[in-house]
Amino acid sequence: MIKLGVDVDEIAFLVSTNKDGQQLQEACEYAGIDTLLKTSSSLKNIPKIAALVRMTEYLYRNERIDAEALLGRVGKRLADIDLSWYTPLMQPLTVLDRLVREFGYFEADKNILKLLEFAGSFGDIPTFIEEFESSTIGVAEHSVHGANIMTIHGSKGLEFGYVIVLDKLTRPNSDKSPLLFHYDDTLFVEEILYRMKGRDHFDDHYARLIASRKRSEIKDRKNVLYVALTRAVEGMIVVRKEKDSIFDEIGISPLKTGEIEVVAPVSEREQKKTQQTTVKISHYGTQEIIKEEEEEEKDFNAMLFGSALHYTLEMMVRFDLPSLDRALVSLQNRYGQQLDREQMREIQVRIERLIGEGAFQELLYGAKVSKERAFAYSGELRQVDLLLEYEESCLVIDYKSSKKHHLKHHSQVQGYKKALEKLTGKPTRGVILYLLEERIEFSEV
């Protein structure tokens, strides 16, 4: 059809199941045919989006198989790509944006914007990947150029210029239920019979129900075929299997009638398509921002200070001054060459303020205290700064030395809460504990 000049946007594939549609889309991708899968409304079923997310997962977990989908699409090897910019602490939005720019393959696709918008809600890569797997993000309207792929049921009431009807790729599902339900005209269950092989040979009533059921099934299958074979306006192709075909019901055989003719010249369609997708970019000057080098340096210093603060809190046996004195010795041994005397003093002051905070000491009362508590959830290893376990509940506390990325912090602790509630079976609260320069601040999640 395409060689004869048919616009791929005017073609629709009709399949029997959602799984058939996904297999067909993969085949079309390998053949270089653009498609739009409409058997599912989820963004995760678009191959180029799925490949991009899998590449993000590769960067985090270093499982090479996760990178293969994207590498295969762009025809590159890992050795050809510079990934030195990546760090595990990067936000999912930043990683995805960098990958899009690095590969340059996903330009002019609004679905990428939807993915970036979704990723912007998460502060860490594991949570983003987990939520994406269970997401049902709608595909951007008119964002994908290509042939439609949909189930026959989904095409009911619609018409397309050219239709390709595919036979069912998998075998028909057999009814293995031990019970046989008989319905009346109002779909009320009149009888429930025990299904038994050979029962129709000696039970006439059972035989009549089986025969009636088979007639209804045949009628339903023919109605589905009627829908499939009446969606085309200009041309239709039927792809039929030799054995176990859904078209056996109507005795269809190979035939050809008429010729495919394109109503609008290709040049006119291409011109129209170009007019619709062309975007004029204007230059509005340069925004005054901090130099990237300075910002990166500040971020590095802040990360180093935060890591040292966390380490000191981890080294404290109890939250009291004697434990702090011993922890400061460990701090000096580990970070003495990286932090100056003023930064070391600042860490001591902030922790002393935390120890003297009455609200914090009340949280510790009666709780089993676990520091840097590691746990596995959904195949991922996570670690919380401080876990307080009470008899009937739990409290997750996450230390932060700055409020710069407070939305990221909130999302991270929210993920900890969700995981620990399922693992412990106890109601779990979350608190972000900001050890700021001048004060201690509690933020309930």
Side-chain angles (χ1 to χ4, degrees):
M1 286 183 174
I2 294 175
K3 289 180 179 179
L4 290 172
V6 176
D7 188 350
V8 70
D9 291 341
E10 298 178 9
I11 301 175
F13 290 96
L14 302 186
V15 295
S16 296
T17 66
N18 290 337
K19 186 176 181 181
D20 288 355
Q22 293 176 5
Q23 292 180 359
L24 173 62
Q25 186 182 45
E26 291 180 3
C28 288
E29 288 289 336
Y30 282 115
I33 301 173
D34 294 325
T35 57
L36 173 56
L37 183 64
K38 291 188 175 180
T39 58
S40 173
S41 60
S42 179
L43 192 69
K44 63 186 178 185
N45 287 327
I46 297 180
K48 61 172 61 176
I49 299 295
L52 185 58
V53 175
R54 291 282 76 79
M55 188 66 183
T56 306
E57 191 169 359
Y58 160 75
L59 292 175
Y60 185 77
R61 296 196 175 101
N62 201 31
E63 295 287 343
R64 183 181 174 87
I65 191 172
D66 292 328
E68 293 299 330
L70 185 55
L71 295 174
R73 296 181 66 86
V74 299
K76 293 185 178 181
R77 301 176 302 167
L78 281 176
D80 302 328
I81 305 168
D82 178 20
L83 298 175
S84 60
W85 49 267
Y86 170 77
T87 64
L89 296 178
M90 295 177 70
Q91 296 184 12
L93 176 61
T94 305
V95 176
L96 289 169
D97 178 69
R98 184 63 183 262
L99 287 174
V100 170
R101 299 174 187 275
E102 191 76 29
F103 289 98
Y105 183 75
F106 300 94
E107 295 178 356
D109 189 343
K110 294 180 182 178
N111 281 313
I112 292 297
L113 299 180
K114 298 202 72 172
L115 178 63
L116 294 176
E117 181 183 13
F118 176 76
S121 305
F122 303 95
D124 60 284
I125 294 176
T127 304
F128 159 71
I129 294 173
E130 177 184 347
E131 294 299 327
F132 180 81
E133 289 295 336
S134 59
S135 67
T136 55
I137 313 164
V139 176
E141 186 178 3
H142 305 307
S143 62
V144 181
H145 162 72
N148 291 298
I149 300 177
M150 64 177 60
T151 61
I152 297 173
H153 288 285
S155 70
K156 190 174 182 179
L158 303 176
E159 287 186 340
F160 308 93
Y162 300 88
V163 172
I164 301 176
V165 184
L166 268 70
D167 213 327
K168 191 171 184 178
L169 301 182
T170 56
R171 293 182 177 180
N173 296 325
S174 58
D175 187 358
K176 298 181 180 180
S177 172
L179 301 178
L180 179 65
F181 296 89
H182 176 60
Y183 303 88
D184 62 11
D185 294 337
T186 62
L187 297 182
F188 178 79
V189 180
E190 283 188 332
E191 282 186 274
I192 302 178
L193 302 175
Y194 184 74
R195 190 190 299 272
M196 182 183 299
K197 186 177 181 181
R199 180 175 175 176
D200 52 318
H201 295 305
F202 58 85
D203 188 337
D204 293 339
H205 178 62
Y206 183 85
R208 285 194 297 271
L209 292 182
I210 291 292
S212 174
R213 187 183 184 91
K214 289 182 178 179
R215 288 194 298 269
S216 296
E217 291 175 351
I218 292 174
K219 182 179 179 181
D220 290 341
R221 290 196 293 267
K222 287 185 176 181
N223 287 338
V224 171
L225 294 178
Y226 175 81
V227 172
L229 300 176
T230 56
R231 301 303 96 198
V233 177
E234 299 294 337
M236 180 176 64
I237 293 177
V238 176
V239 182
R240 180 184 185 275
K241 294 191 297 186
E242 293 184 3
K243 296 181 180 180
D244 300 325
S245 171
I246 62 174
F247 299 104
D248 290 342
E249 302 285 356
I250 57 177
I252 194 171
S253 58
L255 62 90
K256 177 181 178 182
T257 179
E259 297 292 337
I260 294 178
E261 293 183 3
V262 181
V263 178
V266 177
S267 58
E268 292 183 13
R269 294 200 312 276
E270 291 299 326
Q271 182 180 5
K272 180 180 179 181
K273 189 181 299 181
T274 302
Q275 292 173 351
Q276 291 176 341
T277 57
T278 300
V279 179
K280 182 179 179 181
I281 305 298
S282 301
H283 179 68
Y284 295 100
T286 304
Q287 180 182 2
E288 294 183 3
I289 58 175
I290 302 175
K291 292 183 179 180
E292 183 178 356
E293 293 79 4
E294 295 178 357
E295 187 67 27
E296 289 179 353
E297 182 179 355
K298 291 181 180 179
D299 287 343
F300 173 76
N301 289 331
M303 290 172 60
L304 179 61
F305 181 85
S307 298
L309 178 64
H310 276 73
Y311 177 76
T312 308
L313 289 165
E314 181 185 357
M315 292 296 102
M316 295 174 62
V317 178
R318 288 179 294 273
F319 290 98
D320 55 22
L321 292 178
S323 295
L324 174 59
D325 290 338
R326 289 189 291 271
L328 290 174
V329 176
S330 299
L331 174 67
Q332 178 66 43
N333 293 336
R334 181 163 182 173
Y335 288 94
Q337 300 297 322
Q338 298 171 281
L339 299 177
D340 56 35
R341 183 173 300 178
E342 183 178 345
Q343 290 173 310
M344 302 279 282
R345 175 60 184 166
E346 180 63 25
I347 290 176
Q348 180 179 352
V349 169
R350 295 193 188 191
I351 297 181
E352 287 177 348
R353 188 181 296 121
L354 174 65
I355 293 173
E357 179 65 44
F360 177 67
Q361 293 296 338
E362 288 181 10
L363 293 176
L364 298 175
Y365 182 76
K368 177 183 177 182
V369 179
S370 300
K371 300 174 184 177
E372 300 299 325
R373 176 69 175 271
F375 61 94
Y377 180 72
S378 295
E380 299 171 2
L381 185 64
R382 304 186 184 192
Q383 186 166 298
V384 297
D385 295 337
L386 182 64
L387 177 62
L388 304 180
E389 297 183 66
Y390 308 99
E391 288 187 6
E392 298 181 354
S393 64
C394 294
L395 175 63
V396 175
I397 296 180
D398 201 46
Y399 306 125
K400 298 297 177 186
S401 58
S402 168
K403 299 185 68 175
K404 182 176 181 180
H405 302 293
H406 64 281
L407 293 178
K408 172 185 175 181
H409 303 158
H410 190 280
S411 176
Q412 185 180 23
V413 175
Q414 191 73 31
Y416 293 156
K417 280 180 52 181
K418 177 181 175 182
L420 286 168
E421 276 188 348
K422 292 187 177 181
L423 292 174
T424 63
K426 297 180 180 180
T428 302
R429 295 166 51 211
V431 169
I432 304 174
L433 187 56
Y434 289 104
L435 284 73
L436 305 178
E437 186 175 357
E438 299 178 352
R439 66 186 186 280
I440 299 293
E441 187 174 316
F442 295 80
S443 179
E444 185 87 18
V445 177

